[in-house]
mmCIF file of all heavy atoms in Angstrom:
data_model
loop_
_atom_site.group_PDB
_atom_site.id
_atom_site.type_symbol
_atom_site.label_atom_id
_atom_site.label_comp_id
_atom_site.label_asym_id
_atom_site.label_seq_id
_atom_site.Cartn_x
_atom_site.Cartn_y
_atom_site.Cartn_z
ATOM 1 N N THR L 70 147.598 109.234 90.143
ATOM 2 C CA THR L 70 146.444 108.381 89.912
ATOM 3 C C THR L 70 146.749 107.415 88.776
ATOM 4 O O THR L 70 147.296 107.817 87.748
ATOM 5 C CB THR L 70 145.207 109.237 89.558
ATOM 6 O OG1 THR L 70 144.936 110.130 90.645
ATOM 7 C CG2 THR L 70 143.980 108.378 89.306
ATOM 8 N N ASN L 71 146.388 106.163 88.960
ATOM 9 C CA ASN L 71 146.571 105.151 87.923
ATOM 10 C C ASN L 71 145.669 105.490 86.738
ATOM 11 O O ASN L 71 144.453 105.589 86.904
ATOM 12 C CB ASN L 71 146.210 103.780 88.495
ATOM 13 C CG ASN L 71 146.398 102.655 87.518
ATOM 14 O OD1 ASN L 71 146.411 102.849 86.316
ATOM 15 N ND2 ASN L 71 146.530 101.459 88.052
ATOM 16 N N PRO L 72 146.217 105.668 85.543
ATOM 17 C CA PRO L 72 145.389 106.001 84.385
ATOM 18 C C PRO L 72 144.303 104.962 84.101
ATOM 19 O O PRO L 72 143.241 105.299 83.591
ATOM 20 C CB PRO L 72 146.379 106.058 83.220
ATOM 21 C CG PRO L 72 147.717 106.196 83.835
ATOM 22 C CD PRO L 72 147.634 105.584 85.202
ATOM 23 N N SER L 73 144.539 103.721 84.449
ATOM 24 C CA SER L 73 143.535 102.670 84.230
ATOM 25 C C SER L 73 142.318 102.852 85.129
ATOM 26 O O SER L 73 141.251 102.306 84.852
ATOM 27 C CB SER L 73 144.136 101.294 84.495
ATOM 28 O OG SER L 73 145.205 101.049 83.621
ATOM 29 N N SER L 74 142.455 103.609 86.200
ATOM 30 C CA SER L 74 141.371 103.744 87.172
ATOM 31 C C SER L 74 140.127 104.404 86.596
ATOM 32 O O SER L 74 139.042 104.240 87.149
ATOM 33 C CB SER L 74 141.842 104.513 88.404
ATOM 34 O OG SER L 74 142.112 105.864 88.078
ATOM 35 N N ILE L 75 140.252 105.117 85.508
ATOM 36 C CA ILE L 75 139.066 105.767 84.941
ATOM 37 C C ILE L 75 138.062 104.755 84.392
ATOM 38 O O ILE L 75 136.907 105.085 84.190
ATOM 39 C CB ILE L 75 139.425 106.813 83.872
ATOM 40 C CG1 ILE L 75 140.125 106.167 82.677
ATOM 41 C CG2 ILE L 75 140.257 107.926 84.467
ATOM 42 C CD1 ILE L 75 140.317 107.086 81.498
ATOM 43 N N SER L 76 138.502 103.520 84.197
ATOM 44 C CA SER L 76 137.586 102.490 83.706
ATOM 45 C C SER L 76 137.297 101.420 84.762
ATOM 46 O O SER L 76 136.643 100.419 84.465
ATOM 47 C CB SER L 76 138.152 101.831 82.443
ATOM 48 O OG SER L 76 139.362 101.165 82.737
ATOM 49 N N TYR L 77 137.762 101.608 85.989
ATOM 50 C CA TYR L 77 137.539 100.628 87.053
ATOM 51 C C TYR L 77 136.060 100.522 87.408
ATOM 52 O O TYR L 77 135.334 101.508 87.429
ATOM 53 C CB TYR L 77 138.282 101.013 88.328
ATOM 54 C CG TYR L 77 139.755 100.745 88.340
ATOM 55 C CD1 TYR L 77 140.518 101.134 89.431
ATOM 56 C CD2 TYR L 77 140.406 100.128 87.291
ATOM 57 C CE1 TYR L 77 141.882 100.899 89.474
ATOM 58 C CE2 TYR L 77 141.764 99.895 87.325
ATOM 59 C CZ TYR L 77 142.497 100.281 88.422
ATOM 60 O OH TYR L 77 143.835 100.057 88.454
ATOM 61 N N VAL L 78 135.650 99.310 87.743
ATOM 62 C CA VAL L 78 134.348 99.068 88.350
ATOM 63 C C VAL L 78 134.603 98.825 89.833
ATOM 64 O O VAL L 78 135.751 98.730 90.276
ATOM 65 C CB VAL L 78 133.620 97.878 87.678
ATOM 66 C CG1 VAL L 78 133.292 98.189 86.227
ATOM 67 C CG2 VAL L 78 134.431 96.600 87.793
ATOM 68 N N GLU L 79 133.538 98.712 90.621
ATOM 69 C CA GLU L 79 133.684 98.595 92.075
ATOM 70 C C GLU L 79 134.637 97.486 92.494
ATOM 71 O O GLU L 79 135.435 97.653 93.418
ATOM 72 C CB GLU L 79 132.317 98.380 92.715
ATOM 73 C CG GLU L 79 131.423 99.578 92.584
ATOM 74 C CD GLU L 79 129.976 99.237 92.828
ATOM 75 O OE1 GLU L 79 129.671 98.099 93.239
ATOM 76 O OE2 GLU L 79 129.138 100.114 92.595
ATOM 77 N N GLU L 80 134.568 96.352 91.843
ATOM 78 C CA GLU L 80 135.418 95.214 92.209
ATOM 79 C C GLU L 80 136.900 95.536 91.978
ATOM 80 O O GLU L 80 137.757 95.147 92.770
ATOM 81 C CB GLU L 80 135.002 93.966 91.428
ATOM 82 C CG GLU L 80 135.713 92.711 91.842
ATOM 83 C CD GLU L 80 135.408 92.260 93.264
ATOM 84 O OE1 GLU L 80 134.521 92.817 93.931
ATOM 85 O OE2 GLU L 80 136.102 91.329 93.724
ATOM 86 N N ASP L 81 137.215 96.265 90.913
ATOM 87 C CA ASP L 81 138.599 96.671 90.653
ATOM 88 C C ASP L 81 139.114 97.570 91.774
ATOM 89 O O ASP L 81 140.242 97.418 92.243
ATOM 90 C CB ASP L 81 138.708 97.427 89.326
ATOM 91 C CG ASP L 81 138.305 96.602 88.125
ATOM 92 O OD1 ASP L 81 138.564 95.380 88.130
ATOM 93 O OD2 ASP L 81 137.741 97.188 87.186
ATOM 94 N N VAL L 82 138.272 98.497 92.203
ATOM 95 C CA VAL L 82 138.640 99.416 93.292
ATOM 96 C C VAL L 82 138.878 98.634 94.579
ATOM 97 O O VAL L 82 139.872 98.839 95.278
ATOM 98 C CB VAL L 82 137.550 100.488 93.508
ATOM 99 C CG1 VAL L 82 137.870 101.358 94.700
ATOM 100 C CG2 VAL L 82 137.373 101.335 92.250
ATOM 101 N N ARG L 83 137.979 97.712 94.888
ATOM 102 C CA ARG L 83 138.109 96.911 96.112
ATOM 103 C C ARG L 83 139.407 96.122 96.107
ATOM 104 O O ARG L 83 140.141 96.104 97.097
ATOM 105 C CB ARG L 83 136.921 95.961 96.264
ATOM 106 C CG ARG L 83 136.946 95.176 97.581
ATOM 107 C CD ARG L 83 135.886 94.105 97.601
ATOM 108 N NE ARG L 83 136.133 93.050 96.635
ATOM 109 C CZ ARG L 83 137.014 92.052 96.804
ATOM 110 N NH1 ARG L 83 137.762 91.998 97.886
ATOM 111 N NH2 ARG L 83 137.169 91.130 95.881
ATOM 112 N N LYS L 84 139.732 95.498 94.990
ATOM 113 C CA LYS L 84 140.961 94.700 94.905
ATOM 114 C C LYS L 84 142.198 95.575 95.126
ATOM 115 O O LYS L 84 143.138 95.158 95.808
ATOM 116 C CB LYS L 84 141.054 94.004 93.553
ATOM 117 C CG LYS L 84 140.098 92.857 93.395
ATOM 118 C CD LYS L 84 140.203 92.252 92.006
ATOM 119 C CE LYS L 84 139.227 91.137 91.787
ATOM 120 N NZ LYS L 84 139.306 90.603 90.408
ATOM 121 N N ARG L 85 142.228 96.746 94.535
ATOM 122 C CA ARG L 85 143.380 97.640 94.684
ATOM 123 C C ARG L 85 143.526 98.119 96.127
ATOM 124 O O ARG L 85 144.614 98.179 96.665
ATOM 125 C CB ARG L 85 143.280 98.854 93.756
ATOM 126 C CG ARG L 85 143.254 98.555 92.275
ATOM 127 C CD ARG L 85 144.538 97.862 91.821
ATOM 128 N NE ARG L 85 144.569 97.615 90.398
ATOM 129 C CZ ARG L 85 144.008 96.571 89.791
ATOM 130 N NH1 ARG L 85 143.330 95.702 90.474
ATOM 131 N NH2 ARG L 85 144.119 96.401 88.495
ATOM 132 N N LEU L 86 142.383 98.445 96.752
ATOM 133 C CA LEU L 86 142.421 98.913 98.136
ATOM 134 C C LEU L 86 142.864 97.794 99.079
ATOM 135 O O LEU L 86 143.713 98.019 99.943
ATOM 136 C CB LEU L 86 141.054 99.459 98.545
ATOM 137 C CG LEU L 86 141.013 100.278 99.822
ATOM 138 C CD1 LEU L 86 141.913 101.504 99.726
ATOM 139 C CD2 LEU L 86 139.595 100.695 100.152
ATOM 140 N N LEU L 87 142.347 96.582 98.908
ATOM 141 C CA LEU L 87 142.753 95.451 99.743
ATOM 142 C C LEU L 87 144.248 95.156 99.615
ATOM 143 O O LEU L 87 144.887 94.757 100.581
ATOM 144 C CB LEU L 87 141.972 94.191 99.367
ATOM 145 C CG LEU L 87 140.776 93.840 100.246
ATOM 146 C CD1 LEU L 87 139.559 94.619 99.835
ATOM 147 C CD2 LEU L 87 140.504 92.373 100.193
ATOM 148 N N ALA L 88 144.778 95.362 98.425
ATOM 149 C CA ALA L 88 146.197 95.088 98.182
ATOM 150 C C ALA L 88 147.099 96.227 98.642
ATOM 151 O O ALA L 88 148.317 96.127 98.543
ATOM 152 C CB ALA L 88 146.422 94.825 96.695
ATOM 153 N N GLY L 89 146.512 97.308 99.144
ATOM 154 C CA GLY L 89 147.314 98.448 99.566
ATOM 155 C C GLY L 89 147.847 99.250 98.389
ATOM 156 O O GLY L 89 148.814 99.970 98.509
ATOM 157 N N GLN L 90 147.193 99.151 97.236
ATOM 158 C CA GLN L 90 147.632 99.841 96.027
ATOM 159 C C GLN L 90 146.838 101.106 95.744
ATOM 160 O O GLN L 90 147.011 101.704 94.690
ATOM 161 C CB GLN L 90 147.530 98.898 94.828
ATOM 162 C CG GLN L 90 148.408 97.686 94.952
ATOM 163 C CD GLN L 90 148.155 96.670 93.859
ATOM 164 O OE1 GLN L 90 147.133 96.691 93.184
ATOM 165 N NE2 GLN L 90 149.099 95.769 93.686
ATOM 166 N N ALA L 91 145.965 101.486 96.655
ATOM 167 C CA ALA L 91 145.170 102.710 96.499
ATOM 168 C C ALA L 91 145.162 103.457 97.822
ATOM 169 O O ALA L 91 145.040 102.847 98.886
ATOM 170 C CB ALA L 91 143.749 102.373 96.071
ATOM 171 N N ALA L 92 145.295 104.759 97.751
ATOM 172 C CA ALA L 92 145.290 105.575 98.962
ATOM 173 C C ALA L 92 143.883 105.828 99.475
ATOM 174 O O ALA L 92 143.668 106.014 100.669
ATOM 175 C CB ALA L 92 145.974 106.914 98.694
ATOM 176 N N PHE L 93 142.923 105.844 98.563
ATOM 177 C CA PHE L 93 141.542 106.066 98.969
ATOM 178 C C PHE L 93 140.600 105.494 97.924
ATOM 179 O O PHE L 93 141.002 105.202 96.806
ATOM 180 C CB PHE L 93 141.242 107.552 99.189
ATOM 181 C CG PHE L 93 141.438 108.390 97.960
ATOM 182 C CD1 PHE L 93 140.400 108.601 97.071
ATOM 183 C CD2 PHE L 93 142.661 108.996 97.694
ATOM 184 C CE1 PHE L 93 140.573 109.377 95.938
ATOM 185 C CE2 PHE L 93 142.845 109.775 96.568
ATOM 186 C CZ PHE L 93 141.788 109.961 95.682
ATOM 187 N N ALA L 94 139.337 105.356 98.334
ATOM 188 C CA ALA L 94 138.298 104.900 97.417
ATOM 189 C C ALA L 94 136.999 105.573 97.813
ATOM 190 O O ALA L 94 136.649 105.611 98.986
ATOM 191 C CB ALA L 94 138.141 103.383 97.496
ATOM 192 N N SER L 95 136.332 106.122 96.854
ATOM 193 C CA SER L 95 135.004 106.692 97.117
ATOM 194 C C SER L 95 133.994 105.643 96.678
ATOM 195 O O SER L 95 133.634 105.548 95.517
ATOM 196 C CB SER L 95 134.816 108.008 96.363
ATOM 197 O OG SER L 95 135.027 107.825 94.984
ATOM 198 N N ASN L 96 133.610 104.823 97.621
ATOM 199 C CA ASN L 96 132.776 103.681 97.294
ATOM 200 C C ASN L 96 131.805 103.401 98.422
ATOM 201 O O ASN L 96 131.810 104.077 99.441
ATOM 202 C CB ASN L 96 133.668 102.460 97.020
ATOM 203 C CG ASN L 96 133.141 101.593 95.912
ATOM 204 O OD1 ASN L 96 131.955 101.377 95.799
ATOM 205 N ND2 ASN L 96 134.031 101.103 95.084
#
């Protein structure tokens, strides 16, 4: 897990998922 993810907001999660940089998102 990316250590920065603990401070992500929804938009950060969406950007990572769209870029293929996240395996999952609970959103």
Side-chain angles (χ1 to χ4, degrees):
T70 300
N71 182 338
S73 299
S74 68
I75 63 171
S76 63
Y77 283 176
V78 295
E79 293 163 8
E80 186 65 8
D81 298 325
V82 175
R83 184 189 67 78
K84 287 178 182 177
R85 298 298 183 277
L86 194 60
L87 261 83
Q90 298 172 343
F93 61 90
S95 56
N96 217 320

